[in-house]
């Protein structure tokens, strides 16, 4: 009898543990809702990294997202969660003072498995802004306070500067970190700055502080920058002919004559430019404007064997209608592009997953050789396979804005987005299109609900896994109100075969998951986060 | 045998002193970029903790208002400014009537308290660079009380040795109310564009 009692007593904690996490299917675990206390509440959460037992997250206060002017009492905090039941273990606020001086939180980065906190201090007497780094102990979750200065910006000569900006990029294998530090003027133009690359022990590998050799008669805007696994840096940007061209690229036009929404339009008034900084601190430039086709969208990635691949979409010269994919390899030894490939996408593929009405409308425009697409394209990182082949992921989206309200309530502008199907375009090592497929989805979201849209992606064993919400067609989802939205998982194997399953049917009843916040776990699988007001929870998908 | 290698020597006092120094300062010598090293980057002559600036506005003095301004930071990017001063008929002649009911103005003994209040917002953080302000002030000149309400913008710089210099411009409304009977100036509203040129000291 005693023995049975002991067994029952031993089982009680286990029962509670299992109650705290609901297993939806064999490899999907949804943690129970966690309620934030009023005192320690946060606005957003960023999953940082994980180890065997726990995962770590950054709690972002409301004041960091909105109203940076007045400040607030809530601090950034590092939290630790149990990886099995997805429940909190500990949360420690970040102490951002040093010898009584306030430091500014810049970012947290995980390099070589270690969590590093980056803070800055603006020394108003020395007229310099310094960037410091310190380690965060995974057990105590406290910053070491053993600061190390790793970058500085001298603004003594620039009295009209706006602010110092520090950004970072982590290499695919998390072994290198690039810090980009810039002094911006009121027009957000860089007036001073540079790049530094560090290894996992934060030993400086590369430093580049020369201004980029930009064309004088054109305007350069950054599209992205990244550090490769070998520590070299790639910068990608767009050249616009003049200020008017740049303005046109963000201008919204009226869709209907009088009261219709204003829609974003794309113009072929830019061209891509890439810069590569190698380990010898040499800067090489690659211009993507001298082809028989027009490159509309571009992304750069590096293969596990450090080949630098540029891939994107192209159209006819002077048009924005996407005709196919463009790929090439950047030869950083001879500063030239090799394996340049243009792969046509047939019209059936372009219209796959669209409604009959949309397809026939597009077909008419296509036949009459008019612009038929108002879509923008979001290109994700290239997904590399073990043999060096790669998949280009492109997601068309459409944006407009409408003015709502009346004279009593006042008028306000609401931006709306439609995220469409995901194009998965697999190329072999030489850039030939091997297969293409589409993940069929449609998401209608308004401003605040944009985190419900788009998708999260990761790859494992040459499979690509997508997680995404599907919202109710035609009804724009607002923040906290995903009407009849459902969470889906799609896996595409190495042969392009696709399998989709619904994980959660009606997210009105649960908390809507932010699939764009998907975090790939070191221990395998992915983790996604959702919150609504003061409640939040996690969902874990094991591979 | 008595050679130098076999003799057991007692370490000298110099050795102990050297050892003491080595252990005491080893953190500084060998610890790369430790807390001691980074302290220099935080040495900003106490500007970050300083919350108060005492200022004198030159444009105010030119206008016959001898005001001392106190700017106090109460949030990272927001401060208020209070000014107290004195307006007398010994000041700038252009701001005073020549005669008050037939008596030469400079013969009259006149001294009144003026005040100014402002809320200031610094996008880059108090007290440096661009600022925007909402200002209200009263100057009871001989002949008329002048009430100013205006929005201002300008730049404030920290010079060496905790000195500050600010220059700004504003736009707002001025309400002039005659304060003598009979009135020697005409009352009424007008728009105006004040200038600010001030020097200050960070306390």
């Amino acid at each position: 009898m005693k023995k049975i009692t002991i067994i029952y007593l031993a089982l009680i904690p286990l029962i509670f543990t299992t109650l705290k996490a609901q297993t939806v299917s064999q490899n999907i675990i949804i943690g129970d809702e966690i309620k934030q206390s009023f005192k320690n509440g946060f606005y957003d959460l960023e999953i940082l990294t994980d180890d065997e037992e726990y995962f770590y997250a950054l709690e972002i206060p409301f004041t960091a997202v909105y109203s940076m002017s007045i400040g607030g009492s809530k601090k950034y905090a590092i939290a630790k969660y149990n990886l099995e039941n997805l429940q909190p273990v500990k949360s420690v606020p970040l102490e951002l003072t040093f010898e009584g001086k306030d430091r500014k939180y810049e970012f947290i980065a995980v390099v070589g498995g270690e969590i590093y906190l980056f803070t800055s201090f603006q020394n108003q007497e020395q007229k310099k802004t310094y960037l410091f780094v310190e380690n965060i102990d995974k057990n105590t979750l406290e910053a070491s306070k053993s600061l190390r200065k790793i970058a500085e910006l001298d603004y003594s000569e620039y009295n009209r500067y706006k602010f110092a900006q520090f950004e970072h990029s982590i290499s695919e294998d998390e072994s290198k970190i690039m810090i980009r530090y810039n002094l911006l003027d009121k027009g957000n133009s860089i007036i001073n700055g540079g790049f530094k690359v560090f290894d996992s022990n934060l030993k400086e590998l590369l430093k580049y502080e020369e201004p980029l050799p930009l064309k004088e008669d054109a305007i350069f805007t950054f599209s992205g920058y990244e550090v490769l696994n070998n520590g070299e840096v790639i910068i990608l940007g767009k050249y616009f002919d003049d200020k008017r061209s740049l303005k046109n690229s963000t201008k919204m036009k009226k869709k209907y004559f009088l009261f219709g929404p204003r829609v974003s339009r794309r113009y072929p008034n830019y061209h891509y430019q890439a810069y590569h900084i190698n380990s010898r601190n040499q800067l090489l430039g690659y211009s993507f404007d001298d082809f028989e086709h027009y490159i509309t969208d571009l992304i750069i990635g590096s293969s596990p064997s450090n080949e630098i691949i540029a891939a994107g979409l192209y159209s006819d010269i002077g048009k924005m209608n996407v005709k196919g994919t463009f790929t090439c390899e950047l030869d950083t030894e001879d500063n030239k592009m090799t394996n340049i490939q243009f792969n046509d996408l047939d019209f059936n593929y372009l219209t796959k997953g669209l409604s009959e009405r949309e397809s026939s409308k597009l077909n008419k425009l296509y036949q009459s050789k008019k612009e038929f697409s108002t879509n923008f394209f979001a290109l994700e990182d290239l997904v590399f396979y073990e043999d060096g082949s790669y998949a280009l992921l492109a997601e068309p989206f459409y944006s407009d804005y409408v003015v709502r309200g009346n004279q009593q309530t006042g008028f306000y502008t609401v931006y709306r987005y439609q995220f469409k199907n995901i194009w998965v375009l697999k190329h072999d090592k030489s850039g030939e299109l091997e297969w293409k497929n589409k993940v069929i989805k449609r998401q209608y979201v308004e401003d605040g609900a944009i985190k419900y849209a788009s998708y999260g992606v990761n790859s494992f064993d040459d499979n690509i896994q997508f997680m995404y919400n599907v919202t109710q067609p035609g009804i724009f989802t607002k923040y906290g109100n995903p009407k009849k939205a459902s969470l889906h998982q799609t896996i595409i194997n190495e042969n392009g075969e696709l399998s989709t399953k619904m994980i959660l049917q009606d997210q009105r009843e649960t908390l809507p998951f932010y699939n764009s916040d998907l975090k790939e776990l070191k221990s395998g699988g992915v983790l996604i986060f959702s919150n609504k007001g003061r409640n939040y929870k996690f969902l874990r998908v094991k591979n | 045998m008595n050679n130098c290698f076999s003799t057991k020597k007692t370490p000298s006092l110099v050795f102990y002193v050297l050892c003491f120094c080595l252990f005491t300062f080893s953190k500084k010598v060998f610890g790369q970029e430790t807390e001691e090293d980074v302290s220099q980057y935080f040495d900003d002559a106490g500007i970050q903790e300083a919350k108060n600036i005492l200022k004198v506005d030159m444009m105010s003095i030119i206008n016959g208002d001898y005001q001392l301004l106190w700017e106090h930071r109460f949030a990272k990017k927001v401060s208020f400014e209070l000014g107290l001063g004195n307006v007398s008929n010994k000041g700038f002649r252009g701001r005073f009537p020549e005669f008050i009911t037939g008596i030469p103005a400079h013969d009259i003994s006149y001294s009144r308290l003026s005040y100014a209040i402002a809320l200031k917002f610094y996008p880059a953080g108090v007290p440096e660079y661009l600022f925007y302000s909402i200002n209200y002030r009263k100057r009871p000149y001989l002949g008329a009380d002048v009430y100013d309400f205006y929005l201002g913008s300008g730049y404030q710089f920290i010079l060496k040795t905790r000195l500050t210099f600010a220059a700004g411009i504003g736009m707002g409304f001025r309400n002039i109310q005659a304060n003598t009977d009979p009135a020697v100036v005409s009352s009424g509203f007008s728009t105006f564009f004040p200038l600010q040129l001030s020097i200050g000291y960070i306390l």
Side-chain angles (χ1 to χ4, degrees):
Chain A
M1 187 66 192
K2 252 185 180 178
K3 206 175 178 181
I4 291 168
T5 317
I6 289 164
I7 291 167
Y8 272 126
L9 284 172
L11 278 175
I12 286 170
L14 282 177
I15 292 162
F16 275 105
T17 313
T18 47
L19 276 177
K20 286 273 177 191
Q22 175 198 355
T23 307
V24 175
S25 72
Q26 213 169 17
N27 61 347
I28 296 170
I29 305 166
I30 301 178
D32 271 8
E33 265 182 42
I34 305 160
K35 239 189 177 111
Q36 296 182 37
S37 67
F38 184 75
K39 195 182 160 197
N40 298 316
F42 56 85
Y43 177 75
D44 203 356
L45 190 133
E46 184 190 331
I47 301 163
L48 298 169
T49 185
D50 66 299
D51 51 30
E52 283 171 3
E53 246 182 294
Y54 306 105
F55 68 92
Y56 305 85
L58 172 71
E59 294 176 353
I60 302 163
F62 182 80
T63 47
V65 183
Y66 296 105
S67 172
M68 291 183 288
S69 54
I70 309 291
S73 55
K74 177 73 180 93
K75 291 174 176 174
Y76 284 90
I78 297 286
K80 189 177 188 173
Y81 293 83
N82 187 302
L83 204 47
E84 279 309 311
N85 63 17
L86 308 177
Q87 293 299 302
V89 175
K90 194 178 187 181
S91 169
V92 177
L94 291 175
E95 197 50 65
L96 298 181
T97 55
F98 184 82
E99 293 177 353
K101 303 271 168 61
D102 290 333
R103 291 177 287 150
K104 186 184 166 205
Y105 170 86
E106 291 295 344
F107 52 86
I108 276 191
V110 179
V111 194
E114 292 292 320
I115 306 173
Y116 291 105
L117 167 66
F118 292 81
T119 52
S120 67
F121 178 74
Q122 183 185 353
N123 191 316
Q124 289 172 310
E125 206 214 21
Q126 295 172 20
K127 305 275 187 246
K128 282 181 181 174
T129 303
Y130 298 103
L131 183 71
F132 300 99
V133 62
E134 64 199 294
N135 183 271
I136 288 176
D137 187 294
K138 283 183 183 170
N139 288 322
T140 61
L141 301 186
E142 278 173 7
S144 67
K145 287 264 178 176
S146 175
L147 300 186
R148 206 182 128 188
K149 187 208 80 175
I150 57 163
E152 67 178 59
L153 276 165
D154 186 335
Y155 61 87
S156 57
E157 290 171 27
Y158 309 98
N159 284 332
R160 289 172 68 85
Y161 91 104
K162 191 176 158 193
F163 57 83
Q165 182 192 49
F166 298 99
E167 292 176 312
H168 73 290
S169 165
I170 308 280
S171 64
E172 195 65 34
D173 62 359
E174 288 190 0
S175 69
K176 311 282 183 314
I177 180 169
M178 182 190 76
I179 311 285
R180 183 181 165 212
Y181 44 102
N182 290 314
L183 212 56
L184 304 183
D185 68 7
K186 278 204 289 183
N188 283 346
S189 298
I190 296 166
I191 42 182
N192 189 14
F195 300 88
K196 275 185 183 180
V197 175
F198 300 87
D199 68 8
S200 56
N201 298 315
L202 295 187
K203 186 185 159 206
E204 190 176 302
L205 301 175
L206 188 148
K207 179 181 176 182
Y208 188 87
E209 289 189 331
E210 296 297 313
L212 292 178
L214 303 177
K215 290 180 189 171
E216 279 182 13
D217 54 347
I219 293 170
F220 184 78
T221 59
F222 281 91
S223 303
Y225 51 90
E226 67 175 293
V227 57
L228 309 177
N229 291 343
N230 62 4
E232 296 181 341
V233 173
I234 283 282
I235 302 155
L236 185 65
K238 283 179 189 172
Y239 269 118
F240 289 87
D241 288 341
D242 47 38
K243 276 187 180 174
R244 196 190 172 96
S245 300
L246 179 63
K247 207 175 169 186
N248 276 343
S249 70
T250 53
K251 206 171 171 179
M252 296 184 105
K253 287 207 164 180
K254 248 183 193 163
K255 192 177 178 188
Y256 307 116
F257 177 58
L258 275 176
F259 303 107
R262 284 180 182 271
V263 295
S264 301
R265 293 222 182 260
R266 301 211 298 165
Y267 300 94
N269 60 359
Y270 58 88
H271 74 262
Y272 280 96
Q273 172 80 32
Y275 294 102
H276 171 246
I277 304 168
N278 65 21
S279 52
R280 297 186 297 278
N281 250 24
Q282 289 171 320
L283 185 131
L284 305 170
Y286 301 88
S287 190
F288 295 84
D289 62 344
D290 196 19
F291 301 116
E292 65 212 62
H293 299 290
Y294 180 70
I295 311 297
T296 59
D297 301 272
L298 194 71
I299 193 167
I300 293 184
S302 73
S303 71
S305 50
N306 290 326
E307 283 139 350
I308 302 172
I309 305 292
L313 303 169
Y314 78 86
S315 67
D316 289 334
I317 299 278
K319 291 263 165 92
M320 291 304 285
N321 292 328
V322 168
K323 296 288 288 287
T325 68
F326 159 78
T327 61
C328 75
E329 195 180 324
L330 304 186
D331 181 343
T332 54
E333 285 301 315
D334 298 332
N335 191 19
K336 62 178 186 184
M337 294 179 214
T338 58
N339 287 342
I340 297 170
Q341 293 278 356
F342 288 93
N343 298 288
D344 277 352
L345 292 171
D346 54 88
F347 192 71
N348 285 341
Y349 180 77
L350 297 178
T351 55
K352 186 181 173 185
L354 300 182
S355 68
E356 216 168 276
R357 195 166 150 257
E358 283 175 318
S359 295
S360 69
K361 193 180 160 189
L362 250 63
N363 196 23
K364 275 182 197 168
L365 291 166
Y366 184 74
Q367 297 302 336
S368 57
K369 294 190 174 173
K370 285 181 182 168
E371 286 279 12
F372 59 82
S373 170
T374 49
N375 289 332
F376 283 74
F377 284 84
L379 303 187
E380 266 289 336
D381 286 346
L382 295 173
V383 179
F384 283 91
Y385 291 79
E386 273 178 19
D387 61 358
S389 60
Y390 51 92
L392 171 68
L393 309 178
E395 186 188 33
F397 68 95
Y398 169 89
S399 75
D400 63 14
Y401 79 75
V402 287
V403 178
R404 292 208 188 120
N406 53 44
Q407 284 180 334
Q408 275 77 41
T409 59
F411 293 94
Y412 58 96
T413 305
V414 179
Y415 286 87
R416 308 183 306 181
Y417 303 88
Q418 277 186 53
F419 286 84
K420 300 180 181 176
N421 310 317
I422 309 164
W423 299 11
V424 188
L425 306 148
K426 165 83 189 300
H427 298 79
D428 67 15
K429 216 177 164 183
S430 65
E432 284 281 349
L433 189 63
E434 267 184 23
W435 52 256
K436 54 188 186 293
N437 212 332
K438 266 189 185 181
V439 178
I440 308 297
K441 71 167 177 65
R442 194 63 72 95
Q443 296 152 328
Y444 296 78
V445 291
E446 284 189 0
D447 264 349
I450 200 149
K451 286 186 86 176
Y452 305 139
S454 198
Y455 62 96
V457 64
N458 74 305
S459 60
F460 62 95
D461 305 334
D462 281 353
N463 294 312
I464 308 176
Q465 176 180 249
F466 298 91
M467 303 282 289
Y468 52 92
N469 291 315
V470 174
T471 66
Q472 202 177 7
I475 297 173
F476 284 88
T477 296
K478 292 177 181 146
Y479 173 70
N481 184 22
K483 287 174 190 165
K484 292 186 182 169
S486 48
L487 181 67
H488 291 245
Q489 176 199 43
T490 295
I491 294 173
I492 298 188
N493 68 15
E494 58 190 323
N495 302 316
E497 290 153 354
L498 186 146
S499 66
T500 297
K501 71 176 172 193
M502 189 189 291
I503 297 177
L504 287 171
Q505 197 171 6
D506 189 349
Q507 290 208 55
R508 260 187 316 184
E509 308 302 322
T510 64
L511 295 181
F513 282 96
Y514 296 153
N515 40 60
S516 52
D517 279 358
L518 177 142
K519 178 75 188 173
E520 195 163 357
L521 296 171
K522 284 200 183 82
S523 45
V526 295
L527 201 61
I528 54 177
F529 163 72
S530 90
N531 85 328
K532 192 175 175 181
R534 294 201 162 271
N535 296 345
Y536 67 105
K537 66 179 175 182
F538 298 94
L539 179 144
R540 184 182 169 195
V541 182
K542 294 179 180 174
N543 289 340
Chain B
M1 281 284 281
N2 190 14
N3 67 44
C4 59
F5 297 105
S6 62
T7 308
K8 208 175 178 181
K9 272 191 172 176
T10 312
S12 68
L13 184 66
V14 177
F15 176 79
Y16 284 120
V17 171
L18 274 173
C19 283
F20 175 77
C21 289
L22 189 66
F23 285 115
T24 309
F25 303 113
S26 61
K27 208 178 170 188
K28 247 186 177 172
V29 174
F30 299 115
Q32 197 191 352
E33 302 281 12
T34 56
E35 285 182 26
E36 285 79 7
D37 294 319
V38 296
S39 293
Q40 57 181 302
Y41 307 120
F42 289 89
D43 181 12
D44 64 346
I47 291 173
Q48 198 200 55
E49 300 107 311
K51 291 192 169 179
N52 302 299
I53 307 174
L54 270 187
K55 292 196 262 190
V56 176
D57 183 5
M58 271 98 76
M59 293 310 291
S60 193
I61 292 171
I62 289 171
N63 283 304
D65 179 10
Y66 302 99
Q67 220 174 56
L68 191 64
L69 297 156
W70 168 56
E71 183 173 357
H72 177 76
R73 183 188 72 186
F74 65 93
K76 200 183 169 199
K77 297 184 179 186
V78 191
S79 70
F80 66 77
E81 196 173 83
L82 289 177
L84 276 180
N86 179 264
V87 174
S88 79
N89 59 342
K90 307 294 178 205
F92 177 58
R93 305 305 319 158
R95 282 287 162 195
F96 297 93
E98 209 171 327
F99 293 95
I100 298 289
T101 60
I103 306 163
H106 63 268
D107 285 350
I108 297 170
S109 169
Y110 183 83
S111 175
R112 293 283 187 280
L113 192 71
S114 68
Y115 65 83
I117 184 160
L119 189 69
K120 297 172 94 170
F121 171 65
Y122 292 77
V126 182
E128 248 189 325
Y129 299 123
L130 181 70
F131 66 82
Y132 300 101
S133 63
I134 305 171
N135 306 59
Y136 177 77
R137 70 182 175 207
K138 183 190 175 186
R139 289 168 170 178
Y141 289 115
L142 176 62
D145 293 341
V146 179
Y147 301 90
D148 293 336
F149 176 77
Y150 63 95
L151 302 175
S153 178
Y155 274 86
Q156 181 159 278
F157 305 99
I158 298 173
L159 308 171
K160 284 283 168 192
T161 60
R162 298 166 76 104
L163 276 177
T164 66
F165 173 76
I169 191 166
M171 192 183 83
F173 297 103
R174 170 165 286 176
N175 179 14
I176 298 173
Q177 292 294 322
N179 58 10
T180 55
D181 190 20
V184 290
V185 288
S186 50
S187 300
F189 272 98
S190 61
T191 53
F192 82 121
F193 301 91
L195 291 173
Q196 187 198 356
L197 280 175
S198 67
I199 50 168
Y201 186 77
I202 299 172
L203 298 176

